[in-house]
Amino acid sequence: MALSFTSIQSSSFCCLFFFSCALFVIAPPRVEARYHPTSSVASLVSEDLYNSIFLHKDDSACPAKGFYNYSSFIEATACFPKFGRVGTIDTRKREIAAFLAQISHETTGGWAAAPDGPYAWGLCFKEEISPQSDYCDSTNKQWPCVPGKSYKGRGPIQISWNFNYGPAGEAIGFDGLNNPDLVVNDSIIAYKTALWFWMTERKPKPSCHDVMVGKYRPTRADRAANRTIGFGLVTNIINGGLECGTGTSDARVNDRIGFFQRYAKIFNVDVGPNLDCAYQKSF
């Protein structure tokens, strides 16, 4: 499960938080990548393609049936103008595939013998089942918990904890601390929170976006911790404390990779290097 946050406002509200995102591709160091402001994610992900990726999201067995619709995804991406719009066409497709893979793992309803395979069951859940706590960090005074509210995992990337709901809501335009349930009541809000998490740098962690488009340059600390650029580093950003640095392949990491490999094939792009984070120290 990843961290947590939320969003409200009307579906036409777009955050202004991300205009300083990536300008480089995963190519040679210091090579500036072109930003494509007139392009759109919809030009790379049609509704038919979206539905072919998430074959079973609207099955009756999925608690999120009918929630994660294509139009909400596309409308939410319009609020994050660098998502899927930086770099070569392959770089752009690879970032989208990586994002969809990570949210698929976080919301999966699949199992080994599932119809169409385990990687056809993303977006089956919209909130954490049987959370172990309210995910309240009482030591965080900047984003204090509201009594009676739970900051459990919600939405496509299962954002959790008050220190994520608060800033996500502020960036997107809603009261995340007082109204965390909005993430499971409005699909546009849900997708905006996932994209907020994807696009946001939290030092010493880079943003997932910067990693996937090649803007991020590993620091000396990263090199010492074997944190190499690739999909594995994105997993480390999202849930490295539980899944990375074990020295052996983690089943959860392998599930993320399985989704990514399937989606990359659908987009007709390679997955790039360093898929795993088994030997990466977590942040």
Side-chain angles (χ1 to χ4, degrees):
M1 184 187 65
L3 311 179
S4 202
F5 52 99
T6 331
S7 64
I8 183 174
Q9 288 295 45
S10 67
S11 60
S12 62
F13 181 93
C14 284
C15 44
L16 302 176
F17 186 69
F18 285 105
F19 291 110
S20 62
C21 293
L23 292 173
F24 299 88
V25 311
I26 294 179
R30 308 299 179 186
V31 174
E32 185 173 349
R34 183 182 175 188
Y35 165 50
H36 304 268
T38 61
S39 67
S40 68
V41 173
S43 69
L44 301 178
V45 186
S46 67
E47 186 166 8
D48 285 345
L49 180 62
Y50 180 86
N51 290 333
S52 72
I53 288 172
F54 301 111
L55 286 173
H56 295 283
K57 68 181 179 64
D58 294 326
D59 280 23
S60 57
C62 288
K65 177 183 178 181
F67 185 70
Y68 295 113
N69 59 75
Y70 173 75
S71 61
S72 294
F73 169 63
I74 295 301
E75 185 163 344
T77 64
C79 295
F80 300 87
K82 295 296 178 70
F83 176 74
R85 298 180 181 89
V86 173
T88 66
I89 189 72
D90 281 358
T91 297
R92 293 157 61 196
K93 288 180 177 180
R94 189 179 298 109
E95 181 190 9
I96 295 170
F99 171 78
L100 296 179
Q102 292 288 357
I103 66 172
S104 292
H105 167 78
E106 296 293 342
T107 58
T108 184
W111 65 100
D116 300 307
Y119 307 122
W121 286 79
L123 301 184
C124 192
F125 288 85
K126 60 180 180 178
E127 62 185 325
E128 183 179 358
I129 305 300
S130 301
Q132 298 178 352
S133 73
D134 288 337
Y135 294 97
C136 170
D137 178 5
S138 60
T139 67
N140 191 295
K141 305 305 181 183
Q142 183 178 5
W143 307 106
C145 304
V146 175
K149 299 296 181 181
S150 171
Y151 303 104
K152 66 180 180 179
R154 295 179 177 92
I157 211 164
Q158 292 290 284
I159 299 296
S160 53
W161 296 99
N162 50 303
F163 52 73
N164 288 300
Y165 275 89
E170 182 177 78
I172 296 166
F174 77 102
D175 189 346
L177 294 177
N178 280 289
N179 296 291
D181 284 322
L182 285 166
V183 178
V184 295
N185 292 326
D186 186 303
S187 58
I188 296 172
I189 288 172
Y191 263 123
K192 285 181 181 179
T193 58
L195 288 162
W196 173 86
F197 183 89
W198 186 263
M199 301 297 293
T200 302
E201 177 187 18
R202 301 167 193 78
K203 292 183 178 180
K205 294 182 180 182
S207 71
C208 300
H209 168 76
D210 284 354
V211 170
M212 289 308 301
V213 303
K215 178 181 178 181
Y216 183 66
R217 305 302 176 195
T219 64
R220 180 179 298 178
D222 288 328
R223 292 191 290 272
N226 199 37
R227 291 193 288 260
T228 50
I229 295 295
F231 186 75
L233 184 57
V234 172
T235 298
N236 199 335
I237 293 168
I238 293 173
N239 207 27
L242 295 178
E243 299 180 21
C244 299
T246 63
T248 58
S249 294
D250 185 281
R252 295 162 294 186
V253 175
N254 290 338
D255 191 64
R256 297 177 192 272
I257 293 171
F259 277 112
F260 185 39
Q261 290 173 327
R262 176 175 177 254
Y263 297 170
K265 185 175 181 179
I266 291 174
F267 279 101
N268 194 29
V269 293
D270 65 83
V271 294
N274 306 315
L275 292 178
D276 208 322
C277 60
Y279 296 96
Q280 294 184 19
K281 184 178 180 180
S282 63
F283 287 94

